[in-house]
Amino acid sequence: MALSCGIVGLPNVGKSTVFNALTQAQADAANYPFCTIEPNVGMVSVPDPRLETLQRLVNSRKVIPTTVQFVDIAGLVKGASQGEGLGNQFLGHIRQVDAIIHVVRCFDNNDITHVMGETDPVRDVDIINTELILCDGETIQKSLDKISKLLKSGGPSVKAQHEALILLQEHVQKLKPVRSIISTLSEDQQEFVKTLHLITQKPVLYVANVAEDYWNLKESKQKNPSEIFRQKLEQELQKQDHHLPLIVTISAQIEHELTQLEPEDGAAYLKDLGLQEKGLDRLIRASYDLLGLMTYFTAGEQEVRAWTIEKGTKAPQAAGVIHSDFEKGFICAEVYNYKDIFRLQSEQKVKEAGLLRKEGREYVFQDGDIVNILFNV
């Protein structure tokens, strides 16, 4: 299961710089609007230190991490839902992803043009969110027009769908995202709404793109403009969603510079900044967690490999991620957890401690499970 995240935002906020650093690709990152037309796509490995430890403990030949797909989508502008700045085309690209990474400019730089003239993260977020909501409003209206014609001849399901669309329409007319009302619908209505592929139903992670001196200024008594911008962004998002929003703070320029350094030099650079890890590693993991995903492992002499499943997945369906035959012919799963082998330092000791067990069809896989699937087709 590959999670696909679309990187969105206004022009010149750092989307392509973030994408380039994530993928170490060469998407254009220029100081003018719409330098990205067709979306750039890159697969990124999910950082997981457990893989290297497992490789050492089971003496595997290679490691295969799980991945996240990132899509660099061109900058949206005010009026995008009406076609401004090729908005219809760009909004169509967003429909194809599973989650949205919203990059917000939280720095001042006279050398990098801001499409709105000056930096204001709250206004910028409002522009993007409004355009996405207006786009969903058009989709809802079109679906409502079709469903209304079927009301007389349709059954209870059509009526329920019509009621859901009315609720959604009233909600987006207040410029509120679909994700904030979806839980009030019935399960059947929620399944119907999924078929509409509404943009604002997708989960969102905000990236506060701060200046290069952000962390140095945090440790000093000097004014830190980026921190002021970031705090304004967080406070506004908290008002909108009534809970602490998911925000990752990075400097896209620093992350880009890190990709140009050797690992040892990069580690030293991070240490000088007082950081434990790259911001992009936090961003990748946060993106992975955004849809409630988790990792289990297979480990043997040939390879140690990470597999992605949704939290709460039962054993047969989890096994099916490896191969459909594993799900069809599932007998049982031999399971132990990474915590056990990390503590005991060998698979043999895990077995001797009685921690390797056989689990049946109702077993729900846990994050960090190491499994061997027994099946018969």
Side-chain angles (χ1 to χ4, degrees), residues 302-319:
Q302 293 295 324
E303 66 180 34
V304 167
R305 183 162 183 166
W307 302 92
T308 301
I309 56 174
E310 293 182 3
K311 293 176 182 177
T313 302
K314 291 185 177 181
Q317 290 71 44

Side-chain angles (χ1 to χ4, degrees), residues 53-87:
T53 303
L54 271 177
Q55 182 184 29
R56 173 177 58 82
L57 293 176
V58 302
N59 197 27
S60 294
R61 292 190 177 92
K62 62 180 179 179
V63 166
I64 303 177
T66 191
T67 58
V68 176
Q69 183 185 75
F70 284 92
V71 184
D72 179 22
I73 295 168
L76 298 170
V77 295
K78 192 172 184 178
S81 60
Q82 304 301 316
E84 289 292 329
L86 299 180

Side-chain angles (χ1 to χ4, degrees), residues 267-288:
Y269 186 20
L270 287 172
K271 187 176 181 181
D272 289 342
L273 293 172
L275 300 175
Q276 299 295 319
E277 62 179 345
K278 293 188 292 185
L280 293 181
D281 286 351
R282 289 184 286 111
L283 173 57
I284 294 167
R285 283 200 300 272
S287 302
Y288 185 73

Side-chain angles (χ1 to χ4, degrees), residues 29-292:
N31 183 23
Y32 55 89
F34 313 123
C35 74
T36 304
I37 302 298
E38 290 301 321
N40 299 292
V41 180
M43 298 298 296
V44 179
S45 297
V46 177
D48 194 330
R50 295 175 296 183
L51 284 167
E52 291 185 5
T53 303
L54 271 177
Q55 182 184 29
R56 173 177 58 82
L57 293 176
V58 302
N59 197 27
S60 294
R61 292 190 177 92
K62 62 180 179 179
V63 166
I64 303 177
T66 191
T67 58
V68 176
Q69 183 185 75
F70 284 92
V71 184
D72 179 22
I73 295 168
L76 298 170
V77 295
K78 192 172 184 178
S81 60
Q82 304 301 316
E84 289 292 329
L86 299 180
N88 291 331
Q89 179 180 343
F90 300 160
L91 289 165
H93 296 154
I94 303 173
R95 291 189 187 281
Q96 308 307 314
V97 301
D98 299 304
I100 295 172
I101 309 298
H102 188 161
V103 179
V104 186
R105 178 167 167 167
C106 292
F107 66 89
D108 273 328
N109 188 329
N110 292 332
D111 295 328
I112 301 178
T113 305
H114 193 295
V115 72
M116 297 301 294
E118 61 181 3
T119 302
D120 183 342
V122 173
R123 176 207 59 210
D124 294 354
V125 165
D126 185 58
I127 289 173
I128 296 297
N129 286 345
T130 297
E131 294 305 322
L132 299 183
I133 291 168
L134 291 175
C135 182
D136 279 350
E138 290 186 11
T139 302
I140 292 166
Q141 184 60 58
K142 289 177 182 177
S143 184
L144 191 55
D145 291 342
K146 292 179 182 178
I147 290 290
S148 296
K149 295 175 182 178
L150 302 175
L151 266 180
K152 291 183 179 180
S153 58
S157 63
V158 173
K159 183 179 179 182
Q161 291 172 8
H162 185 267
E163 290 174 352
L165 288 168
I166 292 294
L167 288 172
L168 291 178
Q169 185 183 56
E170 293 173 349
H171 193 70
V172 299
Q173 284 175 346
K174 298 175 185 176
L175 294 182
K176 294 182 179 180
V178 172
R179 74 181 72 87
S180 63
I181 194 178
I182 198 71
S183 62
T184 67
L185 305 179
S186 69
E187 288 187 14
D188 287 343
Q189 287 176 325
Q190 289 184 36
E191 288 301 313
F192 164 66
V193 173
K194 285 181 183 178
T195 67
L196 303 179
H197 304 290
L198 298 173
I199 297 173
T200 64
Q201 187 181 354
K202 302 177 189 296
V204 179
L205 183 153
Y206 292 91
V207 174
N209 184 15
V210 297
E212 293 177 75
D213 61 0
Y214 173 80
W215 285 277
N216 289 331
L217 291 178
K218 280 198 77 172
E219 300 303 319
S220 73
K221 295 182 180 180
Q222 299 180 54
K223 181 181 178 182
N224 189 339
S226 282
E227 177 61 12
I228 295 171
F229 287 140
R230 192 202 65 79
Q231 288 180 1
K232 284 179 62 178
L233 172 65
E234 183 175 297
Q235 290 166 4
E236 180 60 26
L237 293 175
Q238 191 170 352
K239 284 180 190 176
Q240 293 177 8
D241 292 345
H242 305 291
H243 66 272
L244 189 64
L246 186 54
I247 301 176
V248 176
T249 302
I250 69 170
S251 167
Q253 188 57 40
I254 286 177
E255 300 301 325
H256 173 70
E257 292 169 3
L258 286 169
T259 66
Q260 312 301 309
L261 300 175
E262 295 296 328
E264 289 184 3
D265 295 333
Y269 186 20
L270 287 172
K271 187 176 181 181
D272 289 342
L273 293 172
L275 300 175
Q276 299 295 319
E277 62 179 345
K278 293 188 292 185
L280 293 181
D281 286 351
R282 289 184 286 111
L283 173 57
I284 294 167
R285 283 200 300 272
S287 302
Y288 185 73
D289 291 339
L290 195 57
L291 288 184

